[in-house]
Amino acid sequence: DTEVTQTPKHLVMGMTNKKSLKCEQHMGHRAMYWYKQKAKKPPELMFVYSYEKLSINESVPSRFSPECPNSSLLNLHLHALQPEDSALYLCASSQHEDGTYEQYFGPGTRLTVT
Amino acid sequence: GENVEQHPSTLSVQEGDSAVIKCTYSDSASNYFPWYKQELGKRPQLIIDIRSNVGEKKDQRIAVTLNKTAKHFSLHITETQPEDSAVYFCATNPDSNYQLIWGAGTKLIIKP
Protein backbone atom coordinates (compact mmCIF):
# COMPACT_ATOMS: atom_id res chain seq x y z
CA ASP A 1 0.00 0.00 0.00
CA THR A 2 1.73 3.18 -1.20
CA GLU A 3 -1.07 5.57 -0.46
CA VAL A 4 -1.66 8.28 2.09
CA THR A 5 -5.31 8.82 2.91
CA GLN A 6 -6.95 11.91 4.36
CA THR A 7 -10.39 12.65 5.73
CA PRO A 8 -12.53 14.57 5.22
CA LYS A 9 -12.11 15.64 1.59
CA HIS A 10 -13.95 18.88 2.18
CA LEU A 11 -14.67 20.79 5.37
CA VAL A 12 -16.60 23.99 5.96
CA MET A 13 -16.38 25.41 9.44
CA GLY A 14 -17.24 28.58 11.27
CA MET A 15 -14.70 30.59 13.20
CA THR A 16 -16.01 29.26 16.53
CA ASN A 17 -16.02 25.58 15.54
CA LYS A 18 -13.60 22.82 16.52
CA LYS A 19 -12.80 20.18 13.93
CA SER A 20 -10.07 17.66 13.16
CA LEU A 21 -8.34 16.52 10.01
CA LYS A 22 -7.10 12.94 9.82
CA CYS A 23 -4.27 11.32 7.88
CA GLU A 24 -3.19 7.69 7.65
CA GLN A 25 -0.35 5.78 6.00
CA HIS A 26 0.61 2.12 6.10
CA MET A 27 3.98 2.28 4.37
CA GLY A 28 5.96 2.08 7.59
CA HIS A 29 7.20 5.64 7.08
CA ARG A 30 8.73 7.26 10.14
CA ALA A 31 8.16 10.88 9.13
CA MET A 32 4.80 12.57 8.63
CA TYR A 33 4.06 16.13 7.60
CA TRP A 34 1.29 18.69 7.52
CA TYR A 35 1.37 21.25 4.72
CA LYS A 36 -0.92 24.16 3.88
CA GLN A 37 -1.39 25.02 0.21
CA LYS A 38 -3.02 28.13 -1.14
CA ALA A 39 -4.18 28.32 -4.74
CA LYS A 40 -1.33 28.59 -7.27
CA LYS A 41 1.30 28.36 -4.51
CA PRO A 42 3.68 25.60 -3.43
CA PRO A 43 2.94 23.58 -0.29
CA GLU A 44 3.92 25.44 2.88
CA LEU A 45 5.30 23.27 5.67
CA MET A 46 3.48 23.45 8.99
CA PHE A 47 4.62 20.50 11.12
CA VAL A 48 6.95 17.50 10.91
CA TYR A 49 6.68 14.40 13.06
CA SER A 50 9.58 11.97 13.24
CA TYR A 51 9.11 8.67 15.06
CA GLU A 52 5.82 10.02 16.44
CA LYS A 53 7.49 13.06 18.00
CA LEU A 54 7.04 16.62 16.83
CA SER A 55 10.36 17.68 15.36
CA ILE A 56 9.49 20.81 13.41
CA ASN A 57 6.84 23.46 14.07
CA GLU A 58 7.07 26.24 11.51
CA SER A 59 5.76 28.97 13.83
CA VAL A 60 2.21 27.89 13.17
CA PRO A 61 -0.51 29.69 15.18
CA SER A 62 -1.78 27.77 18.19
CA ARG A 63 -5.24 27.46 16.63
CA PHE A 64 -3.64 24.55 14.72
CA SER A 65 -2.74 21.65 17.00
CA PRO A 66 -1.10 18.51 15.58
CA GLU A 67 -1.23 15.08 17.13
CA CYS A 68 0.42 11.77 16.22
CA PRO A 69 -1.40 8.96 18.06
CA ASN A 70 0.77 6.26 16.49
CA SER A 71 3.20 5.70 13.64
CA SER A 72 0.41 5.41 11.06
CA LEU A 73 -1.88 8.25 12.07
CA LEU A 74 -1.60 12.02 12.08
CA ASN A 75 -4.28 14.45 13.16
CA LEU A 76 -4.60 18.20 12.88
CA HIS A 77 -6.98 19.77 15.38
CA LEU A 78 -8.51 23.08 14.39
CA HIS A 79 -10.21 25.69 16.55
CA ALA A 80 -11.01 29.37 16.31
CA LEU A 81 -9.77 29.54 12.73
CA GLN A 82 -9.76 32.67 10.61
CA PRO A 83 -11.05 33.05 7.03
CA GLU A 84 -7.45 33.35 5.82
CA ASP A 85 -6.88 29.79 7.02
CA SER A 86 -9.03 28.56 4.15
CA ALA A 87 -6.75 26.39 2.02
CA LEU A 88 -5.92 22.84 0.96
CA TYR A 89 -4.33 20.95 3.84
CA LEU A 90 -2.02 18.20 2.69
CA CYS A 91 -0.59 15.37 4.73
CA ALA A 92 2.56 13.60 3.56
CA SER A 93 4.87 10.85 4.73
CA SER A 94 8.41 9.72 3.95
CA GLN A 95 10.87 7.10 5.12
CA HIS A 96 12.84 9.63 7.13
CA GLU A 97 12.54 13.30 8.02
CA ASP A 98 15.80 14.56 6.54
CA GLY A 99 14.13 15.72 3.34
CA THR A 100 16.09 13.48 0.99
CA TYR A 101 13.39 10.86 0.61
CA GLU A 102 10.31 10.99 -1.57
CA GLN A 103 7.34 12.53 0.17
CA TYR A 104 4.05 10.76 -0.50
CA PHE A 105 1.15 13.17 -0.33
CA GLY A 106 -2.44 12.51 0.57
CA PRO A 107 -5.27 13.96 -1.57
CA GLY A 108 -5.77 16.80 0.88
CA THR A 109 -8.64 18.34 2.78
CA ARG A 110 -10.16 21.43 1.22
CA LEU A 111 -10.95 23.68 4.19
CA THR A 112 -13.24 26.69 4.03
CA VAL A 113 -13.57 28.92 7.09
CA THR A 114 -16.68 31.08 7.10
CA GLY B 1 18.44 30.81 4.24
CA GLU B 2 17.98 28.80 1.06
CA ASN B 3 16.07 30.40 -1.78
CA VAL B 4 14.78 28.61 -4.88
CA GLU B 5 13.75 30.53 -7.97
CA GLN B 6 11.74 28.77 -10.65
CA HIS B 7 11.14 29.91 -14.22
CA PRO B 8 8.99 30.31 -16.16
CA SER B 9 5.83 30.69 -14.13
CA THR B 10 3.76 29.58 -17.13
CA LEU B 11 4.89 27.57 -20.13
CA SER B 12 2.75 26.78 -23.12
CA VAL B 13 4.05 24.28 -25.68
CA GLN B 14 2.62 22.45 -28.67
CA GLU B 15 1.85 18.80 -28.13
CA GLY B 16 4.87 16.75 -29.16
CA ASP B 17 7.36 19.54 -28.49
CA SER B 18 9.78 19.66 -25.56
CA ALA B 19 9.41 21.66 -22.37
CA VAL B 20 12.17 22.89 -20.08
CA ILE B 21 11.71 24.32 -16.59
CA LYS B 22 14.65 25.77 -14.68
CA CYS B 23 15.34 26.33 -11.02
CA THR B 24 18.20 28.12 -9.34
CA TYR B 25 19.18 27.76 -5.71
CA SER B 26 21.42 29.69 -3.37
CA ASP B 27 22.77 27.24 -0.78
CA SER B 28 25.79 25.33 -2.09
CA ALA B 29 25.16 22.69 0.60
CA SER B 30 21.92 21.61 -1.10
CA ASN B 31 22.24 17.95 -2.01
CA TYR B 32 18.81 16.72 -3.13
CA PHE B 33 16.66 18.09 -5.94
CA PRO B 34 13.18 16.60 -6.50
CA TRP B 35 10.53 17.60 -8.99
CA TYR B 36 6.86 17.26 -8.11
CA LYS B 37 3.91 17.33 -10.51
CA GLN B 38 0.51 18.51 -9.33
CA GLU B 39 -2.43 18.08 -11.65
CA LEU B 40 -5.45 20.29 -11.13
CA GLY B 41 -7.29 19.25 -7.98
CA LYS B 42 -4.81 16.46 -7.24
CA ARG B 43 -1.97 15.83 -4.82
CA PRO B 44 1.68 16.62 -5.61
CA GLN B 45 3.56 13.54 -6.83
CA LEU B 46 7.28 13.03 -7.25
CA ILE B 47 8.17 12.51 -10.90
CA ILE B 48 11.96 12.53 -10.75
CA ASP B 49 14.75 13.52 -8.40
CA ILE B 50 18.50 13.90 -8.52
CA ARG B 51 21.23 13.97 -5.91
CA SER B 52 24.28 16.20 -5.91
CA ASN B 53 26.69 13.44 -6.92
CA VAL B 54 24.91 12.98 -10.27
CA GLY B 55 24.73 15.39 -13.22
CA GLU B 56 21.79 13.96 -15.12
CA LYS B 57 19.02 11.44 -14.65
CA LYS B 58 16.45 10.17 -17.14
CA ASP B 59 13.18 8.33 -16.85
CA GLN B 60 11.52 7.76 -20.21
CA ARG B 61 10.40 11.19 -21.48
CA ILE B 62 11.53 13.03 -18.36
CA ALA B 63 15.06 14.09 -17.47
CA VAL B 64 16.64 16.30 -14.85
CA THR B 65 20.03 17.96 -15.16
CA LEU B 66 22.05 19.51 -12.34
CA ASN B 67 24.79 22.11 -12.62
CA LYS B 68 26.30 22.46 -9.14
CA THR B 69 28.75 25.14 -10.19
CA ALA B 70 26.02 27.40 -11.51
CA LYS B 71 23.58 26.23 -8.82
CA HIS B 72 20.75 25.38 -11.14
CA PHE B 73 18.80 22.30 -12.13
CA SER B 74 16.31 21.79 -14.91
CA LEU B 75 13.41 19.52 -15.80
CA HIS B 76 13.20 18.39 -19.42
CA ILE B 77 10.06 16.79 -20.83
CA THR B 78 10.25 15.50 -24.40
CA GLU B 79 7.40 14.57 -26.75
CA THR B 80 4.89 16.34 -24.54
CA GLN B 81 1.41 14.89 -24.23
CA PRO B 82 -1.90 16.34 -22.95
CA GLU B 83 -1.48 14.46 -19.66
CA ASP B 84 1.69 16.45 -19.00
CA SER B 85 -0.46 19.53 -18.35
CA ALA B 86 -0.01 20.34 -14.67
CA VAL B 87 1.88 22.56 -12.24
CA TYR B 88 5.47 21.46 -11.71
CA PHE B 89 7.37 22.33 -8.53
CA CYS B 90 11.10 22.05 -8.04
CA ALA B 91 12.49 21.75 -4.53
CA THR B 92 15.77 21.38 -2.74
CA ASN B 93 17.02 20.22 0.61
CA PRO B 94 19.79 22.39 2.06
CA ASP B 95 22.19 20.37 4.13
CA SER B 96 21.58 22.61 7.13
CA ASN B 97 17.83 22.26 6.99
CA TYR B 98 15.80 19.09 7.04
CA GLN B 99 12.92 20.69 5.17
CA LEU B 100 12.28 20.91 1.47
CA ILE B 101 12.44 24.43 0.07
CA TRP B 102 10.02 24.72 -2.83
CA GLY B 103 10.05 26.78 -6.00
CA ALA B 104 6.98 28.86 -6.85
CA GLY B 105 5.79 26.43 -9.51
CA THR B 106 5.42 26.36 -13.30
CA LYS B 107 2.07 25.87 -14.96
CA LEU B 108 2.68 23.75 -18.06
CA ILE B 109 0.03 23.94 -20.75
CA ILE B 110 0.10 21.48 -23.63
CA LYS B 111 -1.67 22.83 -26.71
CA PRO B 112 -3.31 20.24 -28.99
Side-chain angles (χ1 to χ4, degrees):
Chain A
D1 185 359
T2 60
E3 190 172 358
V4 176
T5 59
Q6 287 186 246
T7 56
K9 290 185 178 180
H10 301 276
L11 179 62
V12 179
M13 60 185 292
M15 290 189 284
T16 59
N17 292 158
K18 289 185 179 181
K19 297 286 184 183
S20 296
L21 309 184
K22 297 186 183 299
C23 173
E24 191 167 3
Q25 59 89 12
H26 294 287
M27 293 177 277
H29 289 171
R30 308 313 302 184
M32 296 186 76
Y33 311 78
W34 279 116
Y35 285 91
K36 173 183 178 180
Q37 187 178 30
K38 290 278 201 178
K40 301 182 181 180
K41 297 290 186 182
E44 178 184 344
L45 185 66
M46 301 175 71
F47 303 103
V48 181
Y49 272 83
S50 177
Y51 291 87
E52 302 168 43
K53 293 185 178 179
L54 183 64
S55 62
I56 294 177
N57 176 340
E58 283 297 304
S59 303
V60 179
S62 60
R63 57 186 184 267
F64 295 92
S65 176
E67 178 195 19
C68 190
N70 60 53
S71 60
S72 300
L73 295 174
L74 189 65
N75 298 323
L76 185 63
H77 303 296
L78 316 172
H79 72 280
L81 294 192
Q82 304 298 309
E84 59 264 29
D85 296 323
S86 297
L88 180 68
Y89 287 84
L90 292 161
C91 173
S93 70
S94 66
Q95 289 185 26
H96 294 286
E97 70 162 348
D98 72 358
T100 62
Y101 290 84
E102 177 176 1
Q103 293 189 19
Y104 293 79
F105 285 84
T109 294
R110 178 75 59 186
L111 174 67
T112 302
V113 181
T114 60
Chain B
E2 172 68 289
N3 183 48
V4 178
E5 293 189 3
Q6 183 172 346
H7 298 282
S9 57
T10 304
L11 178 60
S12 183
V13 301
Q14 205 70 39
E15 182 178 348
D17 288 352
S18 296
V20 181
I21 303 169
K22 182 176 177 179
C23 287
T24 59
Y25 60 97
S26 58
D27 192 332
S28 57
S30 293
N31 57 7
Y32 177 63
F33 306 89
W35 286 90
Y36 283 82
K37 174 184 180 182
Q38 188 173 25
E39 297 178 47
L40 187 63
K42 300 288 183 68
R43 71 191 81 189
Q45 289 187 295
L46 180 75
I47 54 171
I48 197 166
D49 57 10
I50 193 168
R51 299 181 188 271
S52 58
N53 58 347
V54 176
E56 182 176 6
K57 183 177 179 181
K58 286 184 179 180
D59 183 4
Q60 299 182 346
R61 298 187 295 109
I62 294 172
V64 56
T65 58
L66 171 64
N67 184 326
K68 289 174 58 181
T69 303
K71 296 182 188 173
H72 66 70
F73 57 111
S74 299
L75 177 70
H76 305 255
I77 305 175
T78 58
E79 301 174 10
T80 53
Q81 300 172 3
E83 54 265 36
D84 295 329
S85 294
V87 177
Y88 292 81
F89 293 101
C90 65
T92 186
N93 161 245
D95 188 51
S96 61
N97 190 323
Y98 288 159
Q99 305 168 40
L100 281 180
I101 307 299
W102 296 73
T106 295
K107 183 177 182 179
L108 177 61
I109 301 167
I110 308 300
K111 297 181 290 185

